[in-house]
Amino acid sequence: MQILDGKALSKKIELQVTEEVKLLKEKCGCTPGLAVVLVGQDPASAAYVNMKKKACDRAGFYSITHDMPESISQEAIEKTIIMMNNDTNIDGILIQLPLPSQIDTTKILELVSPEKDVDGFHPFNVGRLVTNLDGFVPCTPLGVMELFKEYNIDVKGKNCVVIGASNIVGKPMASLLLNADATVEICHIFTDDLKRHTLNADVILVGVGVINLITEDMVKDGVIVIDIGVSRTAEGKLVGDVDFENVSKKSSYITPSPGGVGPMTIAMLLSNTLKAAKINAQKLKDQAKDAK
Ligand code: NAD
């Protein structure tokens, strides 16, 4: 059994991004900029935003957080997004989800310029992912594909079972696997007899938020297990969706949670923001050339 070490790989990617940021600054004087919208006081959301901000600082990005109260109006968030869409210092915009119930999340995500949509949640980028065209891909599933690349795991022709079908985890994960020529099954809360599906899987990718959903009796020998879930136990410990201790004994590769996919998500946010900054820098250069 080999651990897929997301912590180590994310550090490596962060260093590569930091080097590229230095080069970009030297070449065109541009600093990648990320703006985050954080609404309300949810401690988990605040902790995620804080981790993202720290990573941006380490990589040499400019970052700004728009802290908004829980009672904020739709119009006020929309106004902030329009402002960020037009701000040339901002290359990437991230809306920390979930938003409060009075807010139309779909409308908010659709308002983010697709060119600054470093989370890959805009329908424009979703469409490009599904049709296997270049665009911005959601950070968590993108991080999983980077782990596969690092450990030379080729999913082509493999039976991949994705558990969880959300827009930010399961669905884009399934699209990426399909684009990589895997055979993909998507399971969710209404799937009957989950074990029937997982027992057949060469690769299990689970992002649900249910502690110990995947147990030893549900997997075959040699399975590759990607645990995307993050939950807190009654004792306050962070855990994934997989009974790691027992499932790892039957696995060929497995991610721990925490320490697997989580750090990769942040590394991919840096990578997506750098990508947006490079595109924007080129655009500004072209515009300046045209103006001459
Ligand atoms: P979500 O609530 O939007 O979606 C959960 C999905 O799981 C749904 O499709 C639902 O049908 C399915 N599901 C729920 N219970 C199930 C069950 N018993 N059996 C099978 N399927 C079931 O959640 P989300 O935003 O997609 O997040 C899922 C998990 O991934 C959470 O634990 C979250 O904390 C974690 N997450 C981790 C990262 C990371 O960077 N590691 C990033 C995003 C989300």
Side-chain angles (χ1 to χ4, degrees):
M1 182 271 294
Q2 184 166 4
I3 296 276
L4 297 171
D5 189 346
K7 231 181 195 169
L9 179 56
S10 67
K11 277 191 189 140
K12 195 166 132 185
I13 292 170
E14 196 178 299
L15 284 180
Q16 284 164 358
V17 170
T18 310
E19 278 310 306
E20 283 204 58
V21 171
K22 272 188 207 151
L23 287 178
L24 194 69
K25 281 183 185 170
E26 279 166 24
K27 226 169 84 184
C28 67
C30 342
T31 301
L34 177 73
V36 179
V37 172
L38 173 64
V39 182
Q41 303 291 322
D42 176 47
S45 290
Y48 285 133
V49 167
N50 193 31
M51 279 194 280
K52 289 167 187 173
K53 189 179 167 7
K54 280 188 178 155
C56 283
D57 292 346
R58 289 195 301 269
F61 288 11
Y62 161 68
S63 76
I64 178 166
T65 304
H66 293 274
D67 257 310
M68 297 178 165
E70 185 81 23
S71 59
I72 192 93
S73 68
Q74 178 86 20
E75 292 70 30
I77 306 184
E78 289 182 4
K79 224 167 133 184
T80 306
I81 294 173
I82 292 167
M83 196 180 76
M84 292 186 291
N85 281 343
N86 294 323
D87 185 343
T88 50
N89 291 314
I90 298 298
D91 300 292
I93 300 171
L94 187 154
I95 316 292
Q96 186 65 38
L97 299 178
L99 294 173
S101 56
Q102 79 274 15
I103 303 296
D104 181 342
T105 301
T106 308
K107 213 168 155 212
I108 294 293
L109 295 180
E110 274 185 312
L111 197 61
V112 173
S113 162
E115 291 161 11
K116 297 191 178 189
D117 173 37
V118 288
D119 251 342
F121 294 165
H122 192 288
F124 176 86
N125 284 311
V126 175
R128 291 190 71 85
L129 170 61
V130 171
T131 46
N132 202 5
L133 295 171
D134 187 36
F136 289 107
V137 174
C139 301
T140 301
L142 187 60
V144 173
M145 297 310 282
E146 279 298 314
L147 273 172
F148 287 152
K149 214 191 285 171
E150 178 71 8
Y151 287 87
N152 294 315
I153 296 170
D154 187 0
V155 294
K156 187 174 184 170
K158 288 200 165 65
N159 286 330
C160 295
V161 173
V162 178
I163 309 162
S166 69
N167 289 339
I168 65 172
V169 179
K171 285 186 203 164
M173 188 73 257
S175 292
L176 283 169
L177 293 165
L178 199 54
N179 291 346
D181 297 324
T183 302
V184 185
E185 268 184 80
I186 310 176
C187 301
H188 45 77
I189 190 142
F190 299 113
T191 298
D192 183 35
D193 194 1
L194 186 61
K195 186 174 169 177
R196 182 168 62 83
H197 299 270
T198 54
L199 270 179
N200 226 352
D202 301 315
V203 186
I204 295 173
L205 307 102
V206 57
V208 163
V210 174
I211 299 172
N212 286 339
L213 181 71
I214 304 300
T215 46
E216 182 189 7
D217 57 307
M218 295 172 75
V219 307
K220 69 178 183 185
D221 280 325
V223 67
I224 298 169
V225 180
I226 306 294
D227 191 353
I228 302 167
V230 181
S231 306
R232 212 173 265 283
T233 63
E235 296 76 39
K237 191 179 162 216
L238 285 180
V239 293
D241 290 342
V242 176
D243 173 7
F244 181 87
E245 197 188 332
N246 295 307
V247 172
S248 61
K249 290 177 192 151
K250 290 177 87 175
S251 311
S252 53
Y253 295 91
I254 188 165
T255 60
S257 180
V261 178
M264 290 304 297
T265 299
I266 295 186
M268 292 302 100
L269 175 67
L270 296 180
S271 167
N272 277 353
T273 306
L274 177 63
K275 176 176 167 170
K278 283 184 187 165
I279 295 170
N280 290 337
Q282 186 60 45
K283 219 163 103 186
L284 289 175
K285 207 170 140 190
D286 292 345
Q287 279 169 2
K289 218 160 108 187
D290 290 346
K292 272 188 189 167

